[in-house]
Amino acid sequence: MAEITKSYESRDVEKKWYAAWQAAHAFAGKVAADKEPYTIVIPPPNVTGVLTMGHVLNNTLQDILIRRARLEGRAALWIPGTDHAGIATQNVVERQLRQKEKKTRRDLGREKFLEKVWEWRHEKGGIILEQLRRLGASCDWERTQFTMDPHYSRAVLTAFVDLFRKGNIYRGKRMVNWCPATQTALSDEEVNMKPVNGAMYRVRYALVDAPGQFIEVKTTRPETIPGDVAIAVHPNDPRFAGLLGKKVRRALGPAAEIPIIADTAVDMEFGTGALKITPAHDKADFEVGQRHRLPAIDVLDPDGTLNALAGPELAGMDRFAGRKKAAELLKERGALVAEEPYTNNVGYSERADVPIEPRLTWQWWLRYPRIEEAKAAVRDGHIKFYPERWSKVYLHWLENIQDWCISRQLWWGHRIPVWYRNGLDKEKLTEADLRDPAKVHVSLEGPADPANWTQEDDVLDTWASSWLWPFATMGWPDAAAQKSAGFDYFYPTTTLVTGPDIIFFWVARMIMAGLEFMEKPETGNRKLGAGNGSDNPAGRDADRSGRRSPVAGLLPPEEIQRRIPFKNVYFTGIIRDAQGRKMSKSLGNSPDPLDLIDKYGADGLRFGIVSIAPQGQDIRFNEERIEGGKNFCNKLWNACRFRQMSGEAADNSSQAAILARLEPKKFDADDHAILDRLLATTREVNRCFGEFEFSAAVQALYTFFWSDFCDWYVEVSKSKLQSADTKANCLAIQDLVLRQTLLLLHPFIPFITEELWHLLGYGPEGRFIEDARLENASQIATHSTARGLTLDRVAVAAVEKLKAFVTQARALKAEHNLASRRDVRFFVTTTDADWDILAPNLAKLTRMAGAAEILRREKVDGAPAAVTPLGTIYLDLANTVDVAAEKARLTKELEQLTKHIAATEARLGNKAFTDKAPPAVIEGARKQLAEQQTKRTELERLVKTLG
RNA sequence: GGACCCUUAGCUCAGUUGGUUAGAGCGUUUCCUUGACAUGGAAAAGGUCACUGGUUCGAGUCCAGUAGGGUCCACCA
């Protein structure tokens, strides 16, 4: 067996084991009838993405769950893959095209451009999947998915056709969020509101019939004045009662007389109480316009440039330049009454980070399916959220859900499988036309006579493909593919690990998709993709609320349970920098995880990131904690090194073999205590996994391993290993502890644990650590009992006292500047009972305290002393004691103790306490008081001896 | 405007149904290269648990309110 080196070098170890795991197909998810499945689908990173700290956290947690599942003997499957990320990817390729060839995508044309995108995808896409391997992610790479793969596209289009047939999808001309930079519509979820410092302009409009009279409005967007079609006031506003129905002259742009109208949408309190109505450029104005049958005058081109309708002075200007110019023009004409700084909320395009424009366009909309069941799935606990509070956010969104704009004016994506009969005027298409197969064809295959049809240009929102991820990655809707993927076995997936920022984008939609599409094959998967079904023209009077009355035919609970895409959702925190800001590319405040892996090892990074990621809270990134992860790995390495240097093991190849080497008759208190702590830690980690408390699990393992095992047990071992009588048993205990600790730690730090597992020979030759089974505490206890070992819980308390004894002894030395001396003597005055605890441990205690000897005495005078749970310990200093300092030190301790005693006595003297508190608590208080009093008596005596 | 979260040691944070003298890591001070580890060991200093009330025998923990910080949702020009 190879010798363990002095320090842990991660690089080669990581490379070696990852290659070995892959060569052995160790991560393959295989159907096994005798095992429980454990399934995770990765939140697919953008194919353009590179590994960020967010990915590190997210994927480390998934890997922890998957590896733990394997150790527990479950059939684990983790499906990896990437998202085609419509806008992001198209942007990347367009930018490259612009830089390298000085061309736009339109210069190339749709087909050529898409070729370029695929080229890019094959050359540079999916780097992140390679990076995940560096992190140690144990995905089943042979199942890697991409949302633009042919089979995945088929799933996406099948879902579209099916929903269209059911009447959930319709086409409508609506106000949408338009991104002038990418020139596509966006869903509400892709718009972020930001406060923007701008100006509020007070503008006056001249009354047509009353020269010299005006009505004033306030606006932040004077450049849209050419699109004004009315001025609205509240019908109950007395200030304007006389003006209703009168006309004013548009203040800017093509001359026009526009009416003053009354509408309750106007807030009398705000601004001047009068509102300019520009239906083409504001959602609220659009609705007012609809109510009053006013035209919408669109003065902006799709790219945000003012067009001819804005008038010659503004036409051709960018919207922001136009705003300034408009203000100047108004000023020149005396129409600008005032201009003041103003901060308002403006919607920004999430992708392009530019203000969006409300814009009236034809788009495809989805009325979400299974909304009620989606609520029930979470409300009734079929799907559990961790932390639970996110379910409120989820339910609130579903309560107020709006139809989803699923079409995008992009080229990279799933092209909507709709064909229009040639010659049809798309601008005038009615709902009835849409459902008429003679006019509009909807299918996967396309029309039989393609020459007579023209396909829809738009593609689907990327999320309209990723919402199928949990089952489209397992073959759906192809029955044969589902069978070979083990769909029936692995679906529903067990746990989804994701960020709360995509709860609406992704989590909620996946739930609805699962509920809608995962019907039993025999009852459903019927005519999926069969084309226009006009049996249910429900989309006819689609309104923005999109609410379907809760109809009969809601799924029963068993069916919900069967269809849901996952049983647990764990929401990670968002990783922030030291100042608490979100990590972002533009701020440059995100460390490169690969650098961190180089510096601290993948295991160090994993351990560190998990340890700072408590459940449900955002994470303040702290590189020192990553360094702490590395240090922990080194500690683990060296403890195993110590074990290896301490002696050959008879047989380490299984837990049973190690248990067989235990010699229960030779157990001392430390042996009992460390095994007790091992079982407690095993139990605690188990509990943590049940509650998804990863950082608590790491904390428990850290404390157990570092404090209980290394700082105490390994140190007492050094004495035990000196004696041939106790050596073999001590080594067996170390092996038992280390073996179990490696198993418990493996999900968190897979590389180093695999390496040490082999170096110490804890498994059969040629097998991985994950081929072993992690036993829980009661299984270990049962096996131990079978070997004649019964753990002595009293020993645990004794060891706590011994630890306190040693600490006091060391403190005495340190206070007298003798910490480095190993030749000091200690005296102890104590009871026979306590001496019985001390005596068998004297060799270890002497070594631990760094003393030459510890002797029992009846009485000691004039030496520095400390009161321990096992008697009073004295440092033999002969005549060199500083009596005053000694007295001050003891008096201070006595004072503190007296306060505590008073508090305890007060509690016990309170009849309400003794009447109402549980007996165990009262008993604990009494015991505590007795101990405190004993200690006080002793301290008082010591102070007195000092005069 | 609505909802949710946070405020505990110098810093970053744990603290799981209310119950001994509130913990960890980092940092700080002093000491230690003893045969696993200086990526380490020992000892120590450091907290009126944001504030104010309430419930309770007992509150960091439960309730109400206040202040400060954050996130999400919401069409006030």
Side-chain angles (χ1 to χ4, degrees), chain A residues 168-178 185-186 188 279-280 282-283 286-287 290 296 298 357-367 402-407 427 431 538-547:
Chain A
N168 289 65
I169 286 178
Y170 59 92
R171 190 168 173 268
K173 193 172 189 182
R174 299 270 192 82
M175 290 298 275
V176 295
N177 308 299
W178 183 263
L186 301 174
D188 294 340
D282 183 282
K283 276 186 192 177
F286 178 73
E287 280 160 26
Q290 292 284 84
D298 188 348
E357 285 293 335
R359 187 157 187 260
L360 191 60
T361 52
W362 282 98
Q363 301 290 345
W364 290 89
W365 301 84
L366 171 68
R367 240 188 309 277
Q402 308 268 308
D403 288 359
W404 177 8
C405 176
I406 53 171
S407 47
E427 291 292 312
E431 179 63 28
R540 187 176 43 230
D541 50 2
D543 67 351
R544 270 304 264 167
S545 81
R547 208 162 296 173

Side-chain angles (χ1 to χ4, degrees), chain A residues 568-804:
Chain A
N568 306 295
V569 184
Y570 177 82
F571 291 104
T572 66
I574 309 260
I575 303 204
R576 299 174 176 282
D577 70 6
Q579 282 93 55
R581 300 171 305 180
K582 257 187 185 175
M583 286 193 169
S584 73
K585 254 186 247 167
S586 50
L587 278 174
N589 59 351
S590 177
D592 183 345
L594 296 182
D595 290 345
L596 294 174
I597 290 175
D598 289 340
K599 232 166 134 184
Y600 305 110
D603 289 330
L605 174 59
R606 290 168 61 119
F607 194 90
I609 199 79
V610 171
S611 74
I612 55 175
Q615 193 188 58
Q617 242 33 70
D618 282 1
I619 297 127
R620 196 70 67 105
F621 181 72
N622 184 347
E623 189 164 331
E624 282 167 353
R625 294 295 288 265
I626 309 300
E627 191 180 355
K630 180 192 177 180
N631 294 350
F632 181 80
C633 290
N634 193 59
K635 189 75 175 175
L636 179 65
W637 184 261
N638 274 288
C640 291
R641 181 164 185 258
F642 175 75
R643 164 62 195 91
Q644 192 187 52
M645 290 166 69
S646 297
E648 287 291 314
D651 184 358
N652 255 349
S653 64
S654 70
Q655 191 188 72
I658 296 170
L659 283 168
R661 284 161 43 208
L662 292 179
E663 301 168 59
K665 282 180 191 144
K666 293 184 179 166
F667 268 44
D668 64 6
D670 291 311
D671 296 330
H672 282 286
I674 195 66
L675 292 188
D676 182 76
R677 288 288 300 126
L678 178 69
L679 295 190
T681 304
T682 300
R683 243 177 257 121
E684 169 65 4
V685 172
N686 198 44
R687 186 197 67 76
C688 289
F689 269 93
E691 301 294 320
F692 294 91
E693 291 180 16
F694 302 103
S695 68
V698 160
Q699 182 61 43
L701 284 163
Y702 183 99
T703 303
F704 166 71
F705 182 71
W706 205 302
S707 304
D708 295 324
F709 186 68
C710 292
D711 289 349
W712 188 260
Y713 193 80
V714 167
E715 290 306 318
V716 298
S717 292
K718 287 173 182 172
S719 176
K720 289 150 77 90
L721 292 170
Q722 305 279 321
S723 156
D725 184 46
T726 48
K727 182 173 178 177
N729 182 59
C730 180
L731 288 180
I733 288 181
Q734 284 190 24
D735 282 325
L736 190 64
V737 170
L738 286 174
R739 186 180 190 278
Q740 179 73 2
T741 303
L742 289 179
L743 286 168
L744 290 170
L745 283 170
H746 178 259
F748 302 93
I749 46 175
F751 294 107
I752 188 175
T753 46
E754 181 81 83
E755 176 76 359
L756 289 169
W757 183 265
H758 289 265
L759 285 170
L760 292 171
Y762 285 146
E765 210 53 48
R767 309 296 294 275
F768 295 118
I769 186 171
E770 286 183 359
D771 293 323
R773 290 292 153 263
L774 175 68
E775 294 207 332
N776 64 32
S778 58
Q779 287 170 316
I780 295 174
T782 304
H783 291 154
S784 307
T785 309
R787 301 279 168 192
L789 174 63
T790 309
L791 281 185
D792 176 7
R793 306 295 310 274
V794 177
V796 178
V799 167
E800 285 312 305
K801 290 180 179 178
L802 291 169
K803 284 182 183 173

Side-chain angles (χ1 to χ4, degrees), chain A residues 504-567:
Chain A
F504 312 136
F505 278 115
W506 197 44
V507 179
R509 287 165 177 170
M510 276 193 287
I511 293 172
M512 288 186 270
L515 290 166
E516 177 68 8
F517 296 114
M518 290 301 99
E519 43 212 319
K520 279 210 171 82
E522 54 267 33
T523 59
N525 278 15
R526 44 334 167 222
K527 307 161 282 203
L528 274 183
N532 315 34
S534 50
D535 52 322
N536 181 16
R540 187 176 43 230
D541 50 2
D543 67 351
R544 270 304 264 167
S545 81
R547 208 162 296 173
R548 269 195 300 202
S549 55
V551 285
L554 285 188
L555 298 172
E558 322 81 71
E559 193 58 19
I560 290 176
Q561 196 141 8
R562 211 183 53 74
R563 293 187 183 201
I564 50 172
F566 27 74
K567 295 169 193 156

